Amino acid sequence: MSTDRYRLGFHIAPKTGWLNDPNGLCQFRGEYHAFFQFNPVWPQIDTKYWRHFTSPDLLHWKDCGTSLVTDIAEDRNGVFSGSALVRHGAASDGGDLLCLYYTGNVVNKDDPEAGIDFVHTGREANEILVTSEDGVHYSEKHVLLRNSDYPDVCTLHVRDPKVWEQDGRLWMLLGARDYSDQGMVLLYGSDDGYTWRIKSQVYSKNPFGYMWECPNIVQIDGHDFLAVCPQGLPDEVDRWQNLWEAGYFPLDGSILDTVLVDENTFVEWDLGYDFYAPQVFVDDKGRTILIGWMGTFEGNRTSTPDGLPWAHCLTVARELSIGENGLLRQYPVTEIEAARGEEIPLHVSRHVAIDEHRGDIVLDGIEGVGALVLDDVLEIAYTGEKLEVSFTDGHVSGGRVDRQVPLSHLENLRVLVDTSAIEIYANSGETVFSTRWFPVSDMFKVEASFKCEKAVMYPMEDAMANAYADSHEM
Ligand code: FRU
């Protein structure tokens, strides 16, 4: 069967090669920019570059090729993850300057020391800045911080700079692993974006994973949330079921005054099989927008079937807001709705089938229990006590079976289906599941057994049809 059918219509994915973390998300000189970790020669293990996509509207994306490659000693084994800071009026033409901060990864396999473990020996993590006035041409690279600059408690694992402006200064978060194998975050401050001084080290009260990757900060309505990706949490029944987790700590005050977080307050962003390393940015409209990596490093619960020439995608852009429970809700930005075709009503226990696996399903005013079943194999069920997402056919799910979360009420459900990517939003995005699936049937069949005020599906257009037209390989 051709794998072409799994190409996505409103999610960012590479034409060929491997994608992981979103990087450098921003709005710059009138366009949205999304970079991501990219390995062009996957499935060979190689290095990581930054691939670049742009969009006028967070829906129609264009592949602009590979922007940052490994070309200095300090990033020779990977242009690893990082963020964008747009400095208004700082470019030579008086316009905005794009500042990309990332980690240069170096692996010293021939380190003369015996017993190289790549944690305490055999590795370098350099924080690097590169700027651009147009998003096409890039400055020379400036190495800002090296391992010798980090606090003594840190192992060689320090990475993924998140830089933002607050109170007239610049701030940088870095994820780190300390000498007692505890995950932590470093906070640095700067006046010019080039010289950085440590401000604080943020720990959890009790150990919470051995390394925190990809830190981020969410600031909405005067509330700060520290996002991290802890590695090493044990799998539990209703939580922490992926290889590594992505979530956030709601803070009591400002991130700038925080040195301790309570690990019991950690909230996972997304309970699906394919979600990690999200980033947030604030756009011109003042919206806080999150995009995550919809994939996993797990080989045994694969989200890339044999023969597919590309691996993984990003989630759609999700607007963040604070819900009634004080936690963050995520909901697809309204721009996504521009891809909707004509509304098709869904009636209880009567199925609807359309030609392509691309739809936006909306169930509002849900009363009681029920289920939404896709292609007879993927069931999203509400039992009155929990929301359960289960595959009844391991063949299409790479051996995946079941995910569930306790839920005391279900008012609405929104499900985005994009050929091989599915995002499920319950209760206006208070609970989210993202997962890849690889349907084998030709028609897309949808059946809803919920009693609700409104139940419809919108077929979705292929908004990525021209995304790769001018794309360069590599
Ligand atoms: C998270 C991560 C980052 C790193 C990048 C390398 O998925 O491990 O910590 O910068 O991926 O691709």
Side-chain angles (χ1 to χ4, degrees):
M1 188 163 43
S2 161
T3 54
D4 235 26
R5 61 187 310 191
Y6 299 132
R7 179 154 299 292
L8 302 167
F10 52 97
H11 286 82
I12 293 177
K15 192 173 173 193
T16 58
W18 162 284
L19 167 155
N20 59 294
D21 317 359
N23 293 150
L25 303 180
C26 64
Q27 197 175 12
F28 169 66
R29 296 197 181 223
E31 285 207 297
Y32 288 99
H33 295 254
F35 301 81
F36 57 81
Q37 288 287 282
F38 178 55
N39 171 6
V41 298
W42 172 85
Q44 271 166 257
I45 297 176
D46 194 58
T47 185
K48 292 285 171 64
Y49 302 148
W50 279 31
R51 189 84 182 186
H52 186 197
F53 277 56
T54 57
S55 170
D57 59 6
L58 296 169
L59 171 65
H60 299 89
W61 292 94
K62 190 174 96 187
D63 182 359
C64 301
T66 301
S67 293
L68 302 184
V69 298
T70 50
D71 52 12
I72 58 171
E74 286 87 349
D75 67 12
R76 66 175 174 269
N77 300 104
V79 180
F80 271 16
S81 285
S83 59
L85 172 76
V86 177
R87 302 196 72 176
H88 300 299
S92 61
D93 64 356
D96 291 350
L97 182 69
L98 178 63
C99 302
L100 301 177
Y101 290 89
Y102 71 91
T103 301
N105 181 50
V106 177
V107 180
N108 291 320
K109 292 212 173 88
D110 51 358
D111 196 314
E113 231 171 296
I116 302 167
D117 64 1
F118 304 110
V119 176
H120 308 92
T121 51
R123 202 180 182 107
E124 283 173 35
N126 303 301
E127 310 317 329
I128 298 173
L129 166 65
V130 62
T131 64
S132 177
E133 305 213 333
D134 57 7
V136 179
H137 305 92
Y138 294 88
S139 72
E140 62 178 310
K141 294 174 173 176
H142 305 272
V143 180
L144 309 174
L145 295 167
R146 301 167 188 270
N147 286 97
S148 53
D149 298 315
Y150 309 132
D152 290 344
V153 294
C154 294
T155 63
L156 300 177
H157 282 261
V158 178
R159 59 179 168 268
D160 308 335
K162 164 65 188 177
V163 176
W164 79 103
E165 194 171 348
Q166 183 176 340
D167 302 342
R169 293 198 77 203
L170 299 178
W171 303 98
M172 178 193 288
L173 289 172
L174 289 170
R177 169 177 184 161
D178 84 354
Y179 259 93
S180 59
D181 292 329
Q182 279 193 53
M184 62 180 294
V185 155
L186 306 175
L187 175 65
Y188 281 80
S190 172
D191 291 316
D192 61 3
Y194 287 83
T195 306
W196 294 85
R197 294 208 195 300
I198 186 87
K199 161 117 167 73
S200 45
Q201 302 173 20
V202 185
Y203 273 97
S204 50
K205 287 184 183 153
N206 295 292
F208 194 63
Y210 60 82
M211 163 78 194
W212 290 357
E213 295 190 309
C214 301
N216 237 279
I217 181 74
V218 177
Q219 301 180 306
I220 299 178
D221 300 339
H223 297 281
D224 284 10
F225 301 82
L226 172 65
V228 296
C229 295
Q231 294 180 304
L233 301 182
D235 274 17
E236 292 191 2
V237 177
D238 295 325
R239 57 180 192 169
W240 308 345
Q241 296 194 356
N242 286 349
L243 173 64
W244 301 325
E245 270 54 55
Y248 62 84
F249 303 102
L251 302 182
D252 289 333
S254 163
I255 178 66
L256 302 183
D257 304 322
T258 300
V259 288
L260 215 53
V261 293
D262 180 349
E263 66 282 357
N264 295 312
T265 65
F266 185 75
V267 183
E268 280 180 82
W269 288 111
D270 189 304
L271 299 157
Y273 289 95
D274 294 293
F275 188 87
Y276 195 65
Q279 279 206 355
V280 297
F281 73 105
V282 179
D283 81 348
D284 284 358
K285 298 193 177 94
R287 297 181 295 182
T288 302
I289 295 174
L290 173 144
I291 296 180
W293 172 32
M294 216 167 142
T296 170
F297 288 113
E298 273 166 294
N300 59 344
R301 297 181 209 161
T302 179
S303 52
T304 312
D306 287 348
L308 205 66
W310 54 282
H312 310 307
C313 63
L314 300 183
T315 65
V316 297
R318 302 172 175 177
E319 182 173 354
L320 299 184
S321 60
I322 300 181
E324 276 159 28
N325 58 6
L327 303 180
L328 292 168
R329 283 190 304 218
Q330 310 164 60
Y331 210 63
V333 294
T334 52
E335 286 92 329
I336 303 292
E337 293 164 30
R340 286 175 172 177
E342 216 165 294
E343 170 177 314
I344 302 172
L346 298 172
H347 298 291
V348 173
S349 303
R350 228 193 311 144
H351 80 258
V352 158
I354 59 174
D355 282 347
E356 281 182 291
H357 286 81
R358 204 175 287 131
D360 183 352
I361 300 165
V362 178
L363 305 183
D364 277 341
I366 295 177
E367 277 177 42
V369 303
L372 179 72
V373 182
L374 310 180
D375 274 9
D376 298 321
V377 293
L378 175 50
E379 184 178 81
I380 302 157
Y382 182 56
T383 65
E385 279 151 18
K386 56 188 184 186
L387 185 67
E388 209 168 335
V389 178
S390 39
F391 288 100
T392 56
D393 179 353
H395 183 65
V396 294
S397 61
R400 296 164 173 195
V401 182
D402 184 62
R403 280 291 160 90
Q404 43 182 277
V405 60
L407 206 64
S408 60
H409 69 289
L410 179 67
E411 285 164 22
N412 57 62
L413 206 53
R414 170 112 182 257
V415 180
L416 297 178
V417 178
D418 187 8
T419 66
S420 58
I422 171 160
E423 299 184 44
I424 301 165
Y425 298 84
N427 291 336
S428 308
E430 280 177 12
T431 301
V432 185
F433 292 83
S434 298
T435 193
R436 301 299 302 285
W437 77 316
F438 296 89
V440 289
S441 65
D442 287 335
M443 300 284 283
F444 178 34
K445 184 175 161 192
V446 179
E447 196 168 344
S449 65
F450 282 106
K451 194 163 162 247
C452 44
E453 277 163 25
K454 176 181 176 187
V456 296
M457 169 161 71
Y458 304 90
M460 294 287 273
E461 76 172 40
D462 179 4
M464 300 291 284
N466 300 315
Y468 307 96
D470 328 310
S471 80
H472 326 266
E473 296 301 325
M474 197 194 89

